[in-house]
Amino acid sequence: MMQQPEPAPAQSKPGTELVRIINCRQAYHKESATDLVVLDGVNLSIRSGEIVGLLGRSGSGKSTLLRIIAGLLPPTAGEVIWKGKRLEGPAAGISMVFQSFALFPWLTVQKNVELGLEAQGVPVAERHRLAEDAIGLIGLGGYENAYPKELSGGMRQRVGLARALVVHPDLLLMDEPFSALDVLTAENLRTDLVELWAEKKLPIQSILLVTHNIEEAVLMCDRILIFSSNPGRVAYELQVPFEHPRNREDAAFRQFVDRIYALMTRRAPVVSEADMTDPDMKHVQITADAVALPALPINTIVGMMETLAADPLHGRADLPLLASRLQLELDDLFPLGESLQLLGFAELEDGDIMLTPEGMRFVQSEHDTRKNILWHSMLHNIPMVRTIRAVLDERPNHRASAERFRDELEDSMSPDYARQTLQTLIGWARYAELFDFDEEADQLFLDDETE
Ligand code: ADP
Ligand code: MG
């Protein structure tokens, strides 16, 4: 069938720079200690005609950066240049789609979509027409008078998209727009969006897509910026060499995904050899290099190790393969892999994960020996655990407030992460009988078992 030529939206020349971020830094002020630096030395630019992916882990500052680009948050330092001028607040040519849809429940689809236009003072008739176009474009024709609660998650996010598109922005910012949707719905929406983009039917010039899903980035983007954490900055930049539509099963596609896994797991060992032989070791303070730990029960870690050790993997697996086999996303898989690495039970290399001899020994042991191995591993590898244990050993009553350790962790992570990290350590320490936690008193302690 012949395609009707679409009226081309007013395009700037492909490749024109729309936005440039220069040396942006964002620090959140904290009462108790040094400020939390979320972004530091962020430099990037986005040109018309491209979909750029910003790929990074939870907490790496992606949403913060999007809010800066949207003009909602002035950076602590550095600047945002929007079409050649310094950005001083929300710009007309930039709109945003949120993970949580952010629709008004008391407004119809039509009214939700018209909102952006109202703010711009567009006359009523024009508003109707533009909103209807956007709603039709995004595949919701016929649902103009429905309310959000009558729609599925996927349809709600289509409304979110229509609302962002209706103002014909130059730059569309998308903050993990598919992550609240089920797998199938998310894939449909991705495919539709890429198709509309490839057919040049979207009234926009470029997209900045924030995601923590590697395959999604490779499926949709022309260029991928890999964001590092603590502080967030652009660590790697990759041009994606595939035409649309792309096939996840292609060997070249898989290889590209593999390469990103490898880049994202490339990182220095957490504890140096020198650190471990330091005679003053119990005074080593955990500071800038403290690792935020996810809420990761020890059973999950043990389960992963058992899967890795068993047939057919025998101790080594390709991360993307393991991720799809266990249905894990980056935000689950990487922390799991890194926790194993932190404990000295596995190593990450070239996009593979391998159990170490110590990890193998753990898996092959009975419960009591496992406890013992974890006990040594935690003391040996995690400075914060050494600090806690040293403090508890020194105290006559073998008790100490948990608050003080959270405070220490907060020197290098947000309060939420500090809380979660300590909680995770407590869970592991209980398994290893290294120390225990009295929730009511908010105190860590040693008892007969742990002493
Ligand atoms: P991402 O979107 O990559 O998950 P965010 O930008 O949401 O990351 O957050 C980055 C870090 O900044 C986190 O540690 C978060 O707790 C912290 N943070 C975000 N917003 C604020 C705020 N308003 N005040 C203090 N800390 C914040
Ligand atoms: Mg975010």
Side-chain angles (χ1 to χ4, degrees), residues 13-50:
K13 230 172 71 214
T16 311
E17 183 175 277
L18 288 174
V19 68
R20 170 176 291 267
I21 317 284
I22 305 168
N23 259 324
C24 267
R25 173 183 171 89
Q26 182 63 41
Y28 288 114
H29 183 65
K30 290 195 308 176
E31 304 281 305
S32 54
T34 43
D35 289 352
L36 176 72
V37 180
V38 174
L39 303 172
D40 197 20
V42 176
N43 288 287
L44 61 91
S45 68
I46 297 162
R47 296 177 280 274
S48 62
E50 60 175 356

Short mmCIF file of all heavy atoms in Angstrom, two decimals, residues 13-50:
data_model
loop_
_atom_site.label_atom_id
_atom_site.label_comp_id
_atom_site.label_asym_id
_atom_site.label_seq_id
_atom_site.Cartn_x
_atom_site.Cartn_y
_atom_site.Cartn_z
N LYS A 13 17.68 21.15 10.39
CA LYS A 13 18.50 20.22 9.62
C LYS A 13 18.91 19.06 10.52
O LYS A 13 19.28 19.27 11.66
CB LYS A 13 19.75 20.96 9.14
CG LYS A 13 20.00 20.78 7.65
CD LYS A 13 21.12 21.67 7.17
CE LYS A 13 22.47 21.21 7.68
NZ LYS A 13 23.41 22.26 7.96
N PRO A 14 18.82 17.80 10.02
CA PRO A 14 19.29 16.70 10.85
C PRO A 14 20.73 16.96 11.26
O PRO A 14 21.53 17.43 10.48
CB PRO A 14 19.20 15.49 9.92
CG PRO A 14 18.30 15.89 8.81
CD PRO A 14 18.36 17.38 8.70
N GLY A 15 21.02 16.66 12.51
CA GLY A 15 22.39 16.84 12.97
C GLY A 15 22.64 18.18 13.64
O GLY A 15 23.70 18.40 14.18
N THR A 16 21.65 19.08 13.60
CA THR A 16 21.80 20.35 14.31
C THR A 16 21.80 20.09 15.81
O THR A 16 20.96 19.34 16.31
CB THR A 16 20.60 21.29 14.00
OG1 THR A 16 20.42 21.33 12.60
CG2 THR A 16 20.85 22.68 14.54
N GLU A 17 22.70 20.73 16.50
CA GLU A 17 22.74 20.52 17.94
C GLU A 17 21.57 21.23 18.61
O GLU A 17 21.33 22.41 18.41
CB GLU A 17 24.05 21.07 18.50
CG GLU A 17 24.19 20.82 19.97
CD GLU A 17 25.55 21.26 20.48
OE1 GLU A 17 26.50 20.48 20.34
OE2 GLU A 17 25.66 22.38 20.99
N LEU A 18 20.79 20.45 19.39
CA LEU A 18 19.66 21.04 20.09
C LEU A 18 20.05 21.45 21.50
O LEU A 18 19.80 22.55 21.95
CB LEU A 18 18.50 20.04 20.16
CG LEU A 18 17.76 19.77 18.87
CD1 LEU A 18 16.75 18.66 19.07
CD2 LEU A 18 17.07 21.03 18.38
N VAL A 19 20.66 20.50 22.19
CA VAL A 19 21.01 20.78 23.58
C VAL A 19 22.44 20.35 23.85
O VAL A 19 22.93 19.38 23.26
CB VAL A 19 20.01 20.09 24.54
CG1 VAL A 19 20.14 18.59 24.50
CG2 VAL A 19 20.16 20.57 25.97
N ARG A 20 23.12 21.14 24.65
CA ARG A 20 24.47 20.78 25.08
C ARG A 20 24.59 20.99 26.59
O ARG A 20 24.21 22.03 27.11
CB ARG A 20 25.50 21.64 24.34
CG ARG A 20 26.93 21.51 24.91
CD ARG A 20 27.93 22.30 24.09
NE ARG A 20 28.09 21.70 22.78
CZ ARG A 20 29.04 20.79 22.48
NH1 ARG A 20 29.88 20.39 23.39
NH2 ARG A 20 29.13 20.30 21.27
N ILE A 21 25.09 19.97 27.24
CA ILE A 21 25.31 20.05 28.68
C ILE A 21 26.81 20.22 28.90
O ILE A 21 27.59 19.41 28.40
CB ILE A 21 24.91 18.72 29.38
CG1 ILE A 21 23.61 18.17 28.85
CG2 ILE A 21 24.91 18.86 30.89
CD1 ILE A 21 22.43 18.89 29.32
N ILE A 22 27.16 21.25 29.61
CA ILE A 22 28.58 21.51 29.82
C ILE A 22 28.92 21.40 31.30
O ILE A 22 28.43 22.17 32.12
CB ILE A 22 28.97 22.92 29.32
CG1 ILE A 22 28.56 23.07 27.85
CG2 ILE A 22 30.47 23.15 29.48
CD1 ILE A 22 28.63 24.48 27.34
N ASN A 23 29.75 20.41 31.61
CA ASN A 23 30.30 20.27 32.96
C ASN A 23 29.28 20.39 34.08
O ASN A 23 29.52 21.09 35.07
CB ASN A 23 31.36 21.36 33.17
CG ASN A 23 32.73 20.75 32.99
OD1 ASN A 23 32.95 19.59 33.39
ND2 ASN A 23 33.64 21.50 32.40
N CYS A 24 28.18 19.72 33.92
CA CYS A 24 27.13 19.85 34.93
C CYS A 24 27.45 19.06 36.18
O CYS A 24 27.98 17.95 36.13
CB CYS A 24 25.78 19.42 34.38
SG CYS A 24 24.88 20.80 33.72
N ARG A 25 27.11 19.67 37.29
CA ARG A 25 27.31 19.06 38.59
C ARG A 25 26.03 19.27 39.38
O ARG A 25 25.38 20.31 39.29
CB ARG A 25 28.47 19.76 39.28
CG ARG A 25 28.72 19.35 40.71
CD ARG A 25 29.85 20.22 41.27
NE ARG A 25 29.99 20.02 42.70
CZ ARG A 25 30.77 19.10 43.25
NH1 ARG A 25 31.49 18.30 42.49
NH2 ARG A 25 30.82 18.96 44.55
N GLN A 26 25.61 18.23 40.10
CA GLN A 26 24.45 18.40 40.96
C GLN A 26 24.76 17.79 42.31
O GLN A 26 25.10 16.62 42.42
CB GLN A 26 23.21 17.72 40.35
CG GLN A 26 21.95 17.91 41.17
CD GLN A 26 21.53 19.37 41.28
OE1 GLN A 26 21.61 20.11 40.31
NE2 GLN A 26 21.13 19.79 42.46
N ALA A 27 24.69 18.60 43.34
CA ALA A 27 24.92 18.10 44.69
C ALA A 27 23.68 18.41 45.51
O ALA A 27 23.10 19.48 45.39
CB ALA A 27 26.14 18.78 45.29
N TYR A 28 23.25 17.43 46.28
CA TYR A 28 22.14 17.66 47.19
C TYR A 28 22.70 17.96 48.57
O TYR A 28 23.56 17.23 49.07
CB TYR A 28 21.21 16.45 47.25
CG TYR A 28 20.41 16.28 45.99
CD1 TYR A 28 20.61 15.18 45.16
CD2 TYR A 28 19.46 17.23 45.62
CE1 TYR A 28 19.86 15.02 43.99
CE2 TYR A 28 18.72 17.07 44.45
CZ TYR A 28 18.93 15.97 43.65
OH TYR A 28 18.20 15.82 42.50
N HIS A 29 22.22 19.02 49.16
CA HIS A 29 22.76 19.44 50.45
C HIS A 29 22.28 18.51 51.55
O HIS A 29 21.13 18.11 51.58
CB HIS A 29 22.32 20.87 50.74
CG HIS A 29 22.91 21.38 52.03
ND1 HIS A 29 24.26 21.57 52.18
CD2 HIS A 29 22.34 21.71 53.20
CE1 HIS A 29 24.48 21.99 53.40
NE2 HIS A 29 23.34 22.09 54.06
N LYS A 30 23.21 18.18 52.42
CA LYS A 30 22.83 17.36 53.57
C LYS A 30 23.19 18.09 54.85
O LYS A 30 24.21 18.73 54.94
CB LYS A 30 23.57 16.02 53.54
CG LYS A 30 23.10 15.12 52.42
CD LYS A 30 23.57 13.70 52.65
CE LYS A 30 25.06 13.66 52.91
NZ LYS A 30 25.51 12.30 53.22
N GLU A 31 22.34 17.95 55.85
CA GLU A 31 22.58 18.63 57.12
C GLU A 31 23.84 18.07 57.79
O GLU A 31 24.71 18.80 58.23
CB GLU A 31 21.40 18.39 58.07
CG GLU A 31 20.06 18.80 57.50
CD GLU A 31 19.84 20.29 57.58
OE1 GLU A 31 19.94 20.84 58.69
OE2 GLU A 31 19.60 20.92 56.53
N SER A 32 23.88 16.74 57.86
CA SER A 32 24.83 16.07 58.75
C SER A 32 26.27 16.08 58.22
O SER A 32 27.21 16.32 58.97
CB SER A 32 24.39 14.64 58.97
OG SER A 32 24.21 14.01 57.73
N ALA A 33 26.45 15.84 56.96
CA ALA A 33 27.82 15.62 56.48
C ALA A 33 28.06 16.38 55.18
O ALA A 33 27.36 17.32 54.88
CB ALA A 33 28.03 14.13 56.26
N THR A 34 29.07 15.97 54.45
CA THR A 34 29.35 16.61 53.17
C THR A 34 28.18 16.38 52.21
O THR A 34 27.46 15.40 52.33
CB THR A 34 30.62 16.00 52.54
OG1 THR A 34 30.56 14.58 52.71
CG2 THR A 34 31.85 16.55 53.20
N ASP A 35 28.02 17.29 51.28
CA ASP A 35 26.92 17.16 50.33
C ASP A 35 27.04 15.89 49.50
O ASP A 35 28.13 15.40 49.27
CB ASP A 35 26.90 18.38 49.38
CG ASP A 35 26.46 19.63 50.11
OD1 ASP A 35 26.02 19.52 51.27
OD2 ASP A 35 26.56 20.71 49.51
N LEU A 36 25.89 15.39 49.09
CA LEU A 36 25.86 14.21 48.24
C LEU A 36 25.99 14.66 46.78
O LEU A 36 25.11 15.34 46.26
CB LEU A 36 24.54 13.47 48.44
CG LEU A 36 24.32 12.25 47.56
CD1 LEU A 36 25.21 11.10 48.01
CD2 LEU A 36 22.87 11.83 47.59
N VAL A 37 27.09 14.28 46.15
CA VAL A 37 27.29 14.67 44.76
C VAL A 37 26.68 13.60 43.86
O VAL A 37 27.15 12.48 43.83
CB VAL A 37 28.79 14.85 44.43
CG1 VAL A 37 28.97 15.25 42.98
CG2 VAL A 37 29.41 15.88 45.35
N VAL A 38 25.61 13.97 43.17
CA VAL A 38 24.89 13.01 42.34
C VAL A 38 25.43 13.01 40.91
O VAL A 38 25.60 11.97 40.30
CB VAL A 38 23.38 13.32 42.36
CG1 VAL A 38 22.65 12.43 41.41
CG2 VAL A 38 22.84 13.16 43.77
N LEU A 39 25.67 14.20 40.39
CA LEU A 39 26.23 14.32 39.04
C LEU A 39 27.50 15.14 39.12
O LEU A 39 27.57 16.10 39.88
CB LEU A 39 25.25 15.05 38.10
CG LEU A 39 23.86 14.47 37.92
CD1 LEU A 39 22.99 15.44 37.12
CD2 LEU A 39 23.93 13.13 37.21
N ASP A 40 28.49 14.75 38.35
CA ASP A 40 29.71 15.55 38.34
C ASP A 40 30.38 15.44 36.98
O ASP A 40 30.55 14.35 36.46
CB ASP A 40 30.67 15.05 39.44
CG ASP A 40 31.75 16.08 39.74
OD1 ASP A 40 31.54 17.26 39.41
OD2 ASP A 40 32.78 15.70 40.30
N GLY A 41 30.70 16.57 36.39
CA GLY A 41 31.38 16.57 35.10
C GLY A 41 30.57 15.91 34.01
O GLY A 41 31.10 15.15 33.21
N VAL A 42 29.28 16.20 33.96
CA VAL A 42 28.45 15.63 32.90
C VAL A 42 28.53 16.51 31.65
O VAL A 42 28.23 17.70 31.71
CB VAL A 42 26.98 15.49 33.33
CG1 VAL A 42 26.13 14.98 32.17
CG2 VAL A 42 26.86 14.54 34.52
N ASN A 43 28.96 15.92 30.57
CA ASN A 43 29.03 16.60 29.28
C ASN A 43 28.34 15.74 28.24
O ASN A 43 28.64 14.56 28.13
CB ASN A 43 30.49 16.79 28.85
CG ASN A 43 31.18 17.84 29.69
OD1 ASN A 43 30.93 19.03 29.56
ND2 ASN A 43 32.04 17.38 30.59
N LEU A 44 27.44 16.33 27.50
CA LEU A 44 26.83 15.59 26.40
C LEU A 44 26.10 16.56 25.49
O LEU A 44 25.84 17.71 25.88
CB LEU A 44 25.87 14.51 26.92
CG LEU A 44 24.66 14.93 27.74
CD1 LEU A 44 23.44 15.16 26.85
CD2 LEU A 44 24.32 13.82 28.73
N SER A 45 25.80 16.10 24.28
CA SER A 45 24.96 16.93 23.43
C SER A 45 24.00 16.04 22.67
O SER A 45 24.25 14.86 22.49
CB SER A 45 25.81 17.77 22.48
OG SER A 45 26.42 16.93 21.54
N ILE A 46 22.88 16.64 22.30
CA ILE A 46 21.87 15.90 21.56
C ILE A 46 21.54 16.69 20.30
O ILE A 46 21.34 17.90 20.36
CB ILE A 46 20.60 15.73 22.43
CG1 ILE A 46 20.95 14.89 23.66
CG2 ILE A 46 19.49 15.06 21.63
CD1 ILE A 46 19.93 15.02 24.76
N ARG A 47 21.52 15.97 19.18
CA ARG A 47 21.29 16.63 17.91
C ARG A 47 19.93 16.24 17.35
O ARG A 47 19.36 15.23 17.75
CB ARG A 47 22.40 16.24 16.93
CG ARG A 47 23.76 16.73 17.37
CD ARG A 47 24.87 16.29 16.43
NE ARG A 47 25.29 14.93 16.67
CZ ARG A 47 26.20 14.58 17.58
NH1 ARG A 47 26.78 15.49 18.33
NH2 ARG A 47 26.54 13.32 17.74
N SER A 48 19.43 17.03 16.44
CA SER A 48 18.14 16.68 15.85
C SER A 48 18.32 15.43 14.98
O SER A 48 19.38 15.19 14.43
CB SER A 48 17.58 17.84 15.03
OG SER A 48 18.46 18.12 13.97
N GLY A 49 17.27 14.64 14.89
CA GLY A 49 17.30 13.45 14.05
C GLY A 49 17.77 12.20 14.76
O GLY A 49 17.89 11.15 14.15
N GLU A 50 18.04 12.26 16.07
CA GLU A 50 18.53 11.06 16.74
C GLU A 50 17.74 10.73 18.01
O GLU A 50 17.18 11.60 18.66
CB GLU A 50 20.02 11.16 17.06
CG GLU A 50 20.39 12.30 17.96
CD GLU A 50 21.88 12.31 18.35
OE1 GLU A 50 22.61 11.37 17.98
OE2 GLU A 50 22.29 13.25 19.06
#
